[in-house]
Structure formats: C-alpha cells, structure tokens
Amino acid sequence: MPTGNPWLADQDQATENGGPSGQALSPQSTRTGVSSPQPGIRTPNVVDRLPRRDVVWPATIWWLGAHGGAGESTLATLAAGSRPAGHAWPIPITPGTMHRVVLVARSNYAGISAARLAATEWASSALSDGIDLAGLVVIADAPGRIPKPLRDFERIVAGGVPHMWRLPWIDAWRVGPVDSRSPLPKEFRQLFSDLQITTSSTPAHH
C-alpha cells in the first residue's frame, strides 16, 4: 500500500511522475483525495497563510477564494444559501458549529499555487476544528484546454484535498453580470449536485 504523501513530495518530481494518481481528471468529474488533515504536514509561513475571521452567519457552503479574482463571489451568486468567505477562513464562533468550505482558484499557475498553500494550511491541522473542507474548485482562467504543465500541477494539488471540480470559462461573464436564471453548464450543475446545494434560481425543498 503506498505511503507517499503528495504534500511531502518534491513538486517537480511529483509532476514528472504524473501526480499522486498518475491519471488525468476528466473535465466534469470529481476526484477523492485526502479527507482530513494529515500528520507530518508543515504549516506554511505566516506570510503564505490566508487570513481568518470569526463568523456566526450560517451558510450552505463558504466559497473561499485562495486569491483575488478566484470566483468566490460568482459561485455565491449562483448557489442558494452559500456565502463568499472574503478570502479568509470563516472560523465559527458558536461552539459545536462546523463551517463547510470549498476552496476556489483560477487555473493559472498563480491560482493553483495559492490553492496549494491554502490546502496545505488545512492539511497541517493549523485551523479550527470547525472547518470542514469539502474540496477545491478550479475555474478556467481562459478559453480552451489547460496546458499540460498546469494540469500536472493541478493533479498534485487535487491529491491533497477531498474533492476537486473543474469549471469552464464562461465568455458571457467576462462582458456582463452573472445571471443565475440562465442555464448553467453541466460542470456547474455537477458541482452543486455533489455538494447537495441548489442554484439560486431553483427553489429549495423543505
């Protein structure tokens, strides 16, 4: 049984070997990685960590952008009951409360690097027990297929979070506001289905 940890492996070596699984992710699939913080993971330097803020508001999901422009506000607009985390870990202040968080990043090198740092911070057990990391959403930063070096790097990061979803580039959102009433691509619908949340245009069932 393999004992290697993708967070402890050298990035270049892991990329050369094709990442922890050695298999590419399909555009609309999810993938299961580690499901909880791991022993032996070093917490990133203070300058590389995301801020934290105490919150009491409920949310179906907290979308945590690992960097500016990641897309957390867009996802919060589309998903009923969800909130943007404001690029900070939403630490619950009510005892016994668990906040379900999904990291969000763009599919460029800076975005995936930021996601890796955030996932490493979670994996190192540095956060409150009130944070339940559901996974990582990577949103395309440009039309077309992501270049292979970035796919390899993305695959490494995917091995260190419970799930990963890829979302496509939406050209209409570049030139106009997000319209939650418009039909969503299947990748978005799959994401919300996996997280068991509804779109803002879909009435919630009680």
CSV table of all heavy atoms in Angstrom, one decimal, residues 43-99:
chain,number,residue,atom,x,y,z
A,43,THR,N,3.0,23.6,8.4
A,43,THR,CA,2.1,24.8,8.2
A,43,THR,C,2.9,25.8,7.4
A,43,THR,O,4.1,26.1,7.6
A,43,THR,CB,1.7,25.4,9.5
A,43,THR,OG1,1.0,24.4,10.3
A,43,THR,CG2,0.7,26.6,9.2
A,44,PRO,N,2.3,26.4,6.3
A,44,PRO,CA,3.0,27.4,5.5
A,44,PRO,C,3.5,28.6,6.4
A,44,PRO,O,2.9,28.8,7.5
A,44,PRO,CB,2.0,27.8,4.5
A,44,PRO,CG,1.0,26.7,4.4
A,44,PRO,CD,1.0,26.1,5.8
A,45,ASN,N,4.5,29.3,6.0
A,45,ASN,CA,4.9,30.5,6.7
A,45,ASN,C,3.7,31.5,6.8
A,45,ASN,O,2.8,31.5,6.0
A,45,ASN,CB,6.0,31.2,5.9
A,45,ASN,CG,7.3,30.4,5.9
A,45,ASN,OD1,7.5,29.6,6.8
A,45,ASN,ND2,8.1,30.5,4.8
A,46,VAL,N,3.8,32.3,7.8
A,46,VAL,CA,2.7,33.2,8.2
A,46,VAL,C,2.3,34.0,6.9
A,46,VAL,O,1.1,34.2,6.6
A,46,VAL,CB,3.0,34.1,9.3
A,46,VAL,CG1,2.0,35.2,9.6
A,46,VAL,CG2,3.2,33.3,10.6
A,47,VAL,N,3.3,34.5,6.2
A,47,VAL,CA,3.0,35.4,5.0
A,47,VAL,C,2.2,34.6,3.9
A,47,VAL,O,1.6,35.2,3.1
A,47,VAL,CB,4.3,36.0,4.5
A,47,VAL,CG1,5.2,34.9,3.8
A,47,VAL,CG2,4.0,37.1,3.5
A,48,ASP,N,2.3,33.3,3.9
A,48,ASP,CA,1.7,32.5,2.9
A,48,ASP,C,0.3,31.9,3.3
A,48,ASP,O,-0.3,31.2,2.6
A,48,ASP,CB,2.6,31.3,2.5
A,48,ASP,CG,3.8,31.8,1.8
A,48,ASP,OD1,3.7,32.8,1.0
A,48,ASP,OD2,4.9,31.1,2.0
A,49,ARG,N,-0.1,32.2,4.5
A,49,ARG,CA,-1.4,31.7,5.0
A,49,ARG,C,-2.5,32.7,4.7
A,49,ARG,O,-2.3,33.9,4.6
A,49,ARG,CB,-1.4,31.5,6.5
A,49,ARG,CG,-0.3,30.5,7.0
A,49,ARG,CD,-0.3,30.5,8.5
A,49,ARG,NE,1.0,30.0,9.0
A,49,ARG,CZ,1.4,30.0,10.3
A,49,ARG,NH1,0.5,30.5,11.2
A,49,ARG,NH2,2.6,29.6,10.6
A,50,LEU,N,-3.7,32.2,4.5
A,50,LEU,CA,-4.9,33.0,4.4
A,50,LEU,C,-5.3,33.6,5.7
A,50,LEU,O,-5.1,33.0,6.8
A,50,LEU,CB,-6.1,32.2,3.8
A,50,LEU,CG,-5.9,31.8,2.3
A,50,LEU,CD1,-7.1,30.9,1.9
A,50,LEU,CD2,-5.9,33.0,1.4
A,51,PRO,N,-5.9,34.8,5.7
A,51,PRO,CA,-6.4,35.4,7.0
A,51,PRO,C,-7.5,34.5,7.6
A,51,PRO,O,-8.1,33.6,6.9
A,51,PRO,CB,-6.9,36.8,6.6
A,51,PRO,CG,-6.3,37.0,5.2
A,51,PRO,CD,-6.1,35.7,4.6
A,52,ARG,N,-7.9,34.8,8.8
A,52,ARG,CA,-9.0,34.1,9.4
A,52,ARG,C,-9.9,35.2,10.0
A,52,ARG,O,-9.5,36.2,10.5
A,52,ARG,CB,-8.5,33.2,10.5
A,52,ARG,CG,-7.5,32.1,10.1
A,52,ARG,CD,-7.0,31.3,11.2
A,52,ARG,NE,-5.8,30.5,10.8
A,52,ARG,CZ,-5.2,29.6,11.5
A,52,ARG,NH1,-5.6,29.4,12.8
A,52,ARG,NH2,-4.2,29.0,11.0
A,53,ARG,N,-11.2,34.9,10.0
A,53,ARG,CA,-12.2,35.8,10.6
A,53,ARG,C,-13.3,35.0,11.3
A,53,ARG,O,-13.7,34.0,10.8
A,53,ARG,CB,-12.7,36.8,9.6
A,53,ARG,CG,-13.6,36.2,8.5
A,53,ARG,CD,-13.9,37.2,7.5
A,53,ARG,NE,-14.7,36.7,6.4
A,53,ARG,CZ,-16.0,37.0,6.2
A,53,ARG,NH1,-16.7,37.7,7.1
A,53,ARG,NH2,-16.7,36.4,5.2
A,54,ASP,N,-13.7,35.5,12.4
A,54,ASP,CA,-14.7,34.8,13.2
A,54,ASP,C,-16.1,35.2,12.6
A,54,ASP,O,-16.3,36.4,12.3
A,54,ASP,CB,-14.7,35.3,14.7
A,54,ASP,CG,-13.4,34.8,15.4
A,54,ASP,OD1,-12.8,33.8,14.9
A,54,ASP,OD2,-13.1,35.4,16.4
A,55,VAL,N,-16.9,34.2,12.3
A,55,VAL,CA,-18.2,34.5,11.7
A,55,VAL,C,-19.3,33.6,12.4
A,55,VAL,O,-19.0,32.5,13.0
A,55,VAL,CB,-18.2,34.1,10.2
A,55,VAL,CG1,-17.3,35.1,9.4
A,55,VAL,CG2,-17.9,32.7,9.9
A,56,VAL,N,-20.5,34.2,12.5
A,56,VAL,CA,-21.6,33.4,13.1
A,56,VAL,C,-22.7,33.1,12.1
A,56,VAL,O,-23.5,32.3,12.4
A,56,VAL,CB,-22.1,34.3,14.3
A,56,VAL,CG1,-22.8,35.6,13.8
A,56,VAL,CG2,-23.0,33.5,15.2
A,57,TRP,N,-22.6,33.8,10.9
A,57,TRP,CA,-23.7,33.6,9.9
A,57,TRP,C,-23.7,32.2,9.4
A,57,TRP,O,-22.7,31.6,9.1
A,57,TRP,CB,-23.5,34.6,8.8
A,57,TRP,CG,-23.2,35.9,9.2
A,57,TRP,CD1,-24.1,36.8,9.9
A,57,TRP,CD2,-22.0,36.6,9.1
A,57,TRP,NE1,-23.5,38.0,10.2
A,57,TRP,CE2,-22.2,37.9,9.7
A,57,TRP,CE3,-20.8,36.3,8.6
A,57,TRP,CZ2,-21.2,38.9,9.8
A,57,TRP,CZ3,-19.7,37.2,8.7
A,57,TRP,CH2,-20.0,38.5,9.3
A,58,PRO,N,-24.9,31.6,9.2
A,58,PRO,CA,-25.0,30.3,8.5
A,58,PRO,C,-24.8,30.3,7.0
A,58,PRO,O,-25.0,31.4,6.4
A,58,PRO,CB,-26.4,29.8,8.9
A,58,PRO,CG,-27.2,31.1,8.9
A,58,PRO,CD,-26.2,32.2,9.5
A,59,ALA,N,-24.4,29.3,6.5
A,59,ALA,CA,-24.2,29.2,5.0
A,59,ALA,C,-24.2,27.7,4.6
A,59,ALA,O,-23.7,26.8,5.4
A,59,ALA,CB,-22.9,29.8,4.5
A,60,THR,N,-24.8,27.4,3.4
A,60,THR,CA,-24.8,26.0,3.0
A,60,THR,C,-23.4,25.7,2.6
A,60,THR,O,-22.9,24.5,2.9
A,60,THR,CB,-25.7,25.9,1.7
A,60,THR,OG1,-25.3,26.9,0.7
A,60,THR,CG2,-27.1,26.1,2.1
A,61,ILE,N,-22.6,26.6,2.0
A,61,ILE,CA,-21.2,26.4,1.7
A,61,ILE,C,-20.6,27.8,1.8
A,61,ILE,O,-21.1,28.8,1.4
A,61,ILE,CB,-21.0,25.9,0.2
A,61,ILE,CG1,-21.4,24.5,0.1
A,61,ILE,CG2,-19.6,26.1,-0.3
A,61,ILE,CD1,-20.4,23.5,0.7
A,62,TRP,N,-19.3,27.8,2.3
A,62,TRP,CA,-18.5,29.0,2.2
A,62,TRP,C,-17.5,28.8,1.1
A,62,TRP,O,-16.7,27.9,1.1
A,62,TRP,CB,-17.7,29.2,3.5
A,62,TRP,CG,-18.6,29.6,4.7
A,62,TRP,CD1,-19.2,28.8,5.6
A,62,TRP,CD2,-18.9,31.0,5.0
A,62,TRP,NE1,-19.9,29.6,6.5
A,62,TRP,CE2,-19.8,30.9,6.2
A,62,TRP,CE3,-18.6,32.2,4.5
A,62,TRP,CZ2,-20.3,32.1,6.8
A,62,TRP,CZ3,-19.1,33.4,5.1
A,62,TRP,CH2,-20.0,33.3,6.2
A,63,TRP,N,-17.6,29.7,0.1
A,63,TRP,CA,-16.6,29.7,-1.0
A,63,TRP,C,-15.4,30.5,-0.7
A,63,TRP,O,-15.6,31.7,-0.4
A,63,TRP,CB,-17.3,30.2,-2.3
A,63,TRP,CG,-18.6,29.6,-2.7
A,63,TRP,CD1,-19.8,30.1,-2.6
A,63,TRP,CD2,-18.7,28.3,-3.3
A,63,TRP,NE1,-20.7,29.2,-3.1
A,63,TRP,CE2,-20.1,28.1,-3.5
A,63,TRP,CE3,-17.8,27.3,-3.7
A,63,TRP,CZ2,-20.6,27.0,-4.1
A,63,TRP,CZ3,-18.4,26.1,-4.2
A,63,TRP,CH2,-19.7,26.0,-4.4
A,64,LEU,N,-14.3,29.9,-0.5
A,64,LEU,CA,-13.1,30.6,-0.1
A,64,LEU,C,-12.1,30.8,-1.2
A,64,LEU,O,-11.4,29.8,-1.7
A,64,LEU,CB,-12.4,29.8,1.0
A,64,LEU,CG,-11.1,30.3,1.6
A,64,LEU,CD1,-11.1,31.8,1.9
A,64,LEU,CD2,-10.6,29.5,2.8
A,65,GLY,N,-12.1,32.0,-1.8
A,65,GLY,CA,-11.1,32.3,-2.9
A,65,GLY,C,-9.7,32.3,-2.3
A,65,GLY,O,-9.4,33.0,-1.4
A,66,ALA,N,-8.8,31.5,-2.9
A,66,ALA,CA,-7.4,31.4,-2.4
A,66,ALA,C,-6.6,32.6,-2.9
A,66,ALA,O,-5.5,32.8,-2.4
A,66,ALA,CB,-6.8,30.1,-3.0
A,67,HIS,N,-7.2,33.4,-3.7
A,67,HIS,CA,-6.5,34.6,-4.2
A,67,HIS,C,-7.6,35.6,-4.8
A,67,HIS,O,-8.7,35.2,-5.0
A,67,HIS,CB,-5.5,34.3,-5.3
A,67,HIS,CG,-6.1,33.5,-6.5
A,67,HIS,ND1,-6.7,34.2,-7.6
A,67,HIS,CD2,-6.3,32.2,-6.7
A,67,HIS,CE1,-7.2,33.3,-8.4
A,67,HIS,NE2,-7.0,32.0,-7.9
A,68,GLY,N,-7.2,36.8,-5.1
A,68,GLY,CA,-8.1,37.8,-5.6
A,68,GLY,C,-8.6,37.3,-7.0
A,68,GLY,O,-7.8,36.8,-7.8
A,69,GLY,N,-9.9,37.5,-7.3
A,69,GLY,CA,-10.4,37.2,-8.6
A,69,GLY,C,-10.6,35.7,-8.8
A,69,GLY,O,-10.8,35.3,-10.0
A,70,ALA,N,-10.6,34.9,-7.8
A,70,ALA,CA,-10.8,33.5,-7.9
A,70,ALA,C,-12.2,33.1,-8.4
A,70,ALA,O,-12.3,32.1,-9.1
A,70,ALA,CB,-10.5,32.8,-6.6
A,71,GLY,N,-13.2,33.8,-8.0
A,71,GLY,CA,-14.6,33.5,-8.4
A,71,GLY,C,-15.5,33.1,-7.3
A,71,GLY,O,-16.6,32.6,-7.5
A,72,GLU,N,-15.1,33.4,-6.0
A,72,GLU,CA,-15.9,33.0,-4.9
A,72,GLU,C,-17.3,33.8,-4.9
A,72,GLU,O,-18.3,33.2,-4.6
A,72,GLU,CB,-15.2,33.3,-3.5
A,72,GLU,CG,-14.8,34.7,-3.3
A,72,GLU,CD,-14.3,34.9,-1.8
A,72,GLU,OE1,-13.6,34.0,-1.3
A,72,GLU,OE2,-14.5,35.9,-1.3
A,73,SER,N,-17.3,35.1,-5.3
A,73,SER,CA,-18.5,35.8,-5.3
A,73,SER,C,-19.4,35.3,-6.4
A,73,SER,O,-20.7,35.3,-6.3
A,73,SER,CB,-18.2,37.3,-5.6
A,73,SER,OG,-17.5,37.9,-4.5
A,74,THR,N,-18.9,34.9,-7.6
A,74,THR,CA,-19.7,34.4,-8.6
A,74,THR,C,-20.4,33.1,-8.2
A,74,THR,O,-21.6,32.9,-8.4
A,74,THR,CB,-18.8,34.0,-9.9
A,74,THR,OG1,-18.2,35.3,-10.4
A,74,THR,CG2,-19.6,33.3,-11.0
A,75,LEU,N,-19.7,32.2,-7.5
A,75,LEU,CA,-20.3,31.0,-7.1
A,75,LEU,C,-21.3,31.2,-6.0
A,75,LEU,O,-22.4,30.6,-5.9
A,75,LEU,CB,-19.2,30.0,-6.5
A,75,LEU,CG,-18.3,29.4,-7.6
A,75,LEU,CD1,-17.1,28.7,-7.0
A,75,LEU,CD2,-19.1,28.5,-8.5
A,76,ALA,N,-21.1,32.2,-5.1
A,76,ALA,CA,-22.1,32.6,-4.1
A,76,ALA,C,-23.4,33.1,-4.7
A,76,ALA,O,-24.5,32.9,-4.2
A,76,ALA,CB,-21.5,33.6,-3.1
A,77,THR,N,-23.2,33.8,-5.9
A,77,THR,CA,-24.4,34.3,-6.6
A,77,THR,C,-25.2,33.2,-7.2
A,77,THR,O,-26.4,33.3,-7.2
A,77,THR,CB,-23.9,35.3,-7.7
A,77,THR,OG1,-23.3,36.4,-7.2
A,77,THR,CG2,-25.1,35.7,-8.6
A,78,LEU,N,-24.6,32.1,-7.6
A,78,LEU,CA,-25.2,31.0,-8.2
A,78,LEU,C,-25.8,30.0,-7.3
A,78,LEU,O,-26.8,29.3,-7.6
A,78,LEU,CB,-24.3,30.3,-9.2
A,78,LEU,CG,-23.7,31.1,-10.4
A,78,LEU,CD1,-22.6,30.4,-11.1
A,78,LEU,CD2,-24.9,31.5,-11.3
A,79,ALA,N,-25.2,29.8,-6.1
A,79,ALA,CA,-25.6,28.7,-5.2
A,79,ALA,C,-26.4,29.3,-4.0
A,79,ALA,O,-26.0,30.1,-3.3
A,79,ALA,CB,-24.3,28.0,-4.7
A,80,ALA,N,-27.6,28.8,-3.9
A,80,ALA,CA,-28.5,29.3,-2.9
A,80,ALA,C,-28.0,29.0,-1.5
A,80,ALA,O,-27.5,27.9,-1.2
A,80,ALA,CB,-29.9,28.6,-3.0
A,81,GLY,N,-28.0,30.0,-0.7
A,81,GLY,CA,-27.6,29.9,0.7
A,81,GLY,C,-26.2,29.9,1.0
A,81,GLY,O,-25.7,29.8,2.1
A,82,SER,N,-25.4,30.0,-0.1
A,82,SER,CA,-23.9,30.0,0.1
A,82,SER,C,-23.4,31.4,0.3
A,82,SER,O,-24.1,32.4,0.0
A,82,SER,CB,-23.2,29.3,-1.1
A,82,SER,OG,-23.3,30.1,-2.2
A,83,ARG,N,-22.2,31.6,0.8
A,83,ARG,CA,-21.6,32.9,1.0
A,83,ARG,C,-20.1,32.9,0.5
A,83,ARG,O,-19.4,31.9,0.6
A,83,ARG,CB,-21.6,33.2,2.5
A,83,ARG,CG,-23.0,33.4,3.1
A,83,ARG,CD,-22.8,33.7,4.6
A,83,ARG,NE,-24.1,33.9,5.3
A,83,ARG,CZ,-24.7,35.1,5.4
A,83,ARG,NH1,-24.1,36.2,5.0
A,83,ARG,NH2,-25.8,35.2,6.0
A,84,PRO,N,-19.7,34.1,0.0
A,84,PRO,CA,-18.2,34.2,-0.2
A,84,PRO,C,-17.5,34.5,1.1
A,84,PRO,O,-18.0,35.2,2.0
A,84,PRO,CB,-18.2,35.5,-1.1
A,84,PRO,CG,-19.4,36.3,-0.7
A,84,PRO,CD,-20.4,35.3,-0.3
A,85,ALA,N,-16.4,33.9,1.3
A,85,ALA,CA,-15.7,34.0,2.5
A,85,ALA,C,-14.8,35.2,2.6
A,85,ALA,O,-14.2,35.5,3.7
A,85,ALA,CB,-14.8,32.7,2.8
A,86,GLY,N,-14.7,35.9,1.5
A,86,GLY,CA,-13.8,37.1,1.6
A,86,GLY,C,-12.4,36.9,1.7
A,86,GLY,O,-11.6,37.6,2.3
A,87,HIS,N,-11.9,35.7,1.1
A,87,HIS,CA,-10.5,35.3,1.1
A,87,HIS,C,-10.0,35.2,2.5
A,87,HIS,O,-8.8,35.4,2.7
A,87,HIS,CB,-9.7,36.4,0.3
A,87,HIS,CG,-10.2,36.7,-1.1
A,87,HIS,ND1,-10.2,35.8,-2.1
A,87,HIS,CD2,-10.9,37.8,-1.6
A,87,HIS,CE1,-10.8,36.3,-3.2
A,87,HIS,NE2,-11.2,37.5,-2.9
A,88,ALA,N,-10.8,34.7,3.4
A,88,ALA,CA,-10.4,34.4,4.7
A,88,ALA,C,-11.1,33.2,5.3
A,88,ALA,O,-12.3,33.0,4.9
A,88,ALA,CB,-10.7,35.6,5.7
A,89,TRP,N,-10.4,32.4,6.0
A,89,TRP,CA,-11.1,31.2,6.6
A,89,TRP,C,-12.2,31.6,7.5
A,89,TRP,O,-12.0,32.4,8.4
A,89,TRP,CB,-10.1,30.4,7.4
A,89,TRP,CG,-9.0,29.7,6.6
A,89,TRP,CD1,-7.7,30.1,6.5
A,89,TRP,CD2,-9.1,28.5,5.8
A,89,TRP,NE1,-7.0,29.3,5.7
A,89,TRP,CE2,-7.8,28.3,5.3
A,89,TRP,CE3,-10.1,27.6,5.5
A,89,TRP,CZ2,-7.6,27.2,4.4
A,89,TRP,CZ3,-9.9,26.6,4.7
A,89,TRP,CH2,-8.6,26.3,4.2
A,90,PRO,N,-13.4,31.1,7.3
A,90,PRO,CA,-14.6,31.5,8.1
A,90,PRO,C,-14.7,30.7,9.4
A,90,PRO,O,-15.3,29.6,9.5
A,90,PRO,CB,-15.8,31.3,7.2
A,90,PRO,CG,-15.3,30.1,6.4
A,90,PRO,CD,-13.9,30.2,6.2
A,91,ILE,N,-14.0,31.1,10.5
A,91,ILE,CA,-13.9,30.4,11.7
A,91,ILE,C,-15.2,30.6,12.5
A,91,ILE,O,-15.6,31.7,12.8
A,91,ILE,CB,-12.8,30.8,12.6
A,91,ILE,CG1,-11.5,30.8,11.7
A,91,ILE,CG2,-12.7,30.0,13.8
A,91,ILE,CD1,-11.1,29.4,11.3
A,92,PRO,N,-16.0,29.5,12.8
A,92,PRO,CA,-17.2,29.6,13.6
A,92,PRO,C,-16.9,30.0,15.0
A,92,PRO,O,-16.0,29.5,15.6
A,92,PRO,CB,-17.8,28.2,13.5
A,92,PRO,CG,-16.7,27.3,13.2
A,92,PRO,CD,-15.7,28.1,12.4
A,93,ILE,N,-17.8,30.9,15.5
A,93,ILE,CA,-17.6,31.3,16.9
A,93,ILE,C,-18.6,30.6,17.8
A,93,ILE,O,-18.4,30.7,19.1
A,93,ILE,CB,-17.7,32.9,17.1
A,93,ILE,CG1,-19.1,33.4,16.6
A,93,ILE,CG2,-16.6,33.5,16.3
A,93,ILE,CD1,-19.2,34.9,16.9
A,94,THR,N,-19.6,30.0,17.2
A,94,THR,CA,-20.6,29.3,18.0
A,94,THR,C,-20.0,27.9,18.3
A,94,THR,O,-19.7,27.1,17.4
A,94,THR,CB,-21.9,29.2,17.3
A,94,THR,OG1,-22.4,30.5,17.0
A,94,THR,CG2,-22.9,28.5,18.2
A,95,PRO,N,-19.9,27.5,19.6
A,95,PRO,CA,-19.4,26.1,19.9
A,95,PRO,C,-20.2,25.0,19.2
A,95,PRO,O,-21.4,25.1,19.2
A,95,PRO,CB,-19.6,26.1,21.5
A,95,PRO,CG,-19.6,27.5,21.9
A,95,PRO,CD,-20.2,28.3,20.8
A,96,GLY,N,-19.5,24.0,18.7
A,96,GLY,CA,-20.2,22.9,18.1
A,96,GLY,C,-20.6,23.2,16.7
A,96,GLY,O,-21.2,22.3,16.0
A,97,THR,N,-20.3,24.3,16.1
A,97,THR,CA,-20.7,24.7,14.7
A,97,THR,C,-19.6,24.3,13.8
A,97,THR,O,-18.4,24.5,14.1
A,97,THR,CB,-21.0,26.2,14.6
A,97,THR,OG1,-22.0,26.5,15.5
A,97,THR,CG2,-21.3,26.5,13.2
A,98,MET,N,-19.9,23.7,12.6
A,98,MET,CA,-19.0,23.3,11.6
A,98,MET,C,-19.3,24.1,10.3
A,98,MET,O,-20.5,24.2,9.9
A,98,MET,CB,-19.1,21.8,11.3
A,98,MET,CG,-18.1,21.3,10.3
A,98,MET,SD,-16.4,21.2,10.9
A,98,MET,CE,-16.6,19.8,12.0
A,99,HIS,N,-18.3,24.8,9.8
A,99,HIS,CA,-18.5,25.5,8.5
A,99,HIS,C,-17.9,24.7,7.4
A,99,HIS,O,-16.7,24.3,7.4
A,99,HIS,CB,-17.8,26.9,8.6
A,99,HIS,CG,-18.6,27.9,9.4
A,99,HIS,ND1,-18.1,29.1,9.7
A,99,HIS,CD2,-19.8,27.8,10.0
A,99,HIS,CE1,-19.0,29.8,10.5
A,99,HIS,NE2,-20.0,29.0,10.6
